[in-house]
Amino acid sequence: MAGRGEVLAKQYEAKVQEATTVFEKLSDADWKKVTTAEKWPVGVTAHHIASSHAGLSGVLKMLGDGKGGPGIQMDMIHAGNAKHAQEFANCTKADTVALHKKNAAAAAGVVRGLSDADLGRSGTVLTGMPAMSVEQIVTNILINHVDEHVRNIKTAVGK
């Protein structure tokens, strides 16, 4: 029987594959359309997903290793997202898809390597919010992050 880490990794990989398929089918015109929710070009939103796999998996590893949560403030996240949107305003689809695949594979490896005990550890990820278990972070942040942004991309391009 597969452990919970393996099950969660497979769920994450399914969302990642869905995102990859969406990214690869985007036309050049689609890449430049602006999402309603993020107010970023679709390409920037895709790159945000691709780059976020690494940071989120780092939080998982930190908590899984028993080091406590980072206690990130929401204004720091918003500022980082705004900076990312500016820095990657001209990102290419090829570079974004490659980064997405690389970072997602590494993140899936982190999730797959989490024991049931690791998944039960918790800490404060966002300042002012309740502590979350590693398993909650995988499902509510890592997986849902991909899902939410891909849904916004699909809406922006009418798919």
Side-chain angles (χ1 to χ4, degrees):
M1 182 169 140
R4 289 186 353 230
E6 178 66 25
V7 171
L8 290 168
K10 286 182 179 182
Q11 290 172 5
Y12 172 64
E13 288 169 330
K15 286 297 175 187
V16 165
Q17 184 54 53
E18 178 187 340
T20 303
T21 300
V22 169
F23 297 168
E24 290 175 339
K25 290 182 178 179
L26 293 169
S27 68
D28 290 341
D30 289 340
W31 198 252
K32 294 176 176 111
K33 291 179 180 175
V34 176
T35 62
T36 303
E38 297 84 2
K39 299 186 181 11
W40 302 330
V42 163
V44 170
T45 305
H47 197 279
H48 169 80
I49 295 168
S51 63
S52 294
H53 300 302
L56 293 173
S57 65
V59 171
L60 293 173
K61 180 127 182 56
M62 178 189 308
L63 283 172
D65 288 346
K67 296 179 181 168
I72 303 166
Q73 296 179 1
M74 283 305 297
D75 60 344
M76 291 170 55
I77 291 174
H78 295 311
N81 287 343
K83 182 178 179 190
H84 176 269
Q86 288 178 337
E87 289 177 359
F88 294 95
N90 297 311
C91 61
T92 67
K93 183 166 77 169
D95 288 346
T96 300
V97 170
L99 181 68
H100 170 67
K101 288 178 178 180
K102 179 183 116 197
N103 286 349
V110 169
V111 174
R112 193 166 268 114
L114 295 167
S115 69
D116 287 355
D118 295 339
L119 289 164
R121 289 191 180 96
S122 64
T124 301
V125 177
L126 299 170
T127 301
M129 299 296 288
M132 296 178 76
S133 70
V134 173
E135 185 167 3
Q136 289 172 319
I137 296 165
V138 172
T139 57
N140 298 335
I141 298 179
L142 186 67
I143 293 171
N144 284 347
H145 184 258
V146 174
D147 197 36
E148 176 185 345
H149 288 301
V150 168
R151 187 171 44 252
N152 296 341
I153 288 170
K154 288 166 121 180
T155 300
V157 300
K159 295 185 180 179

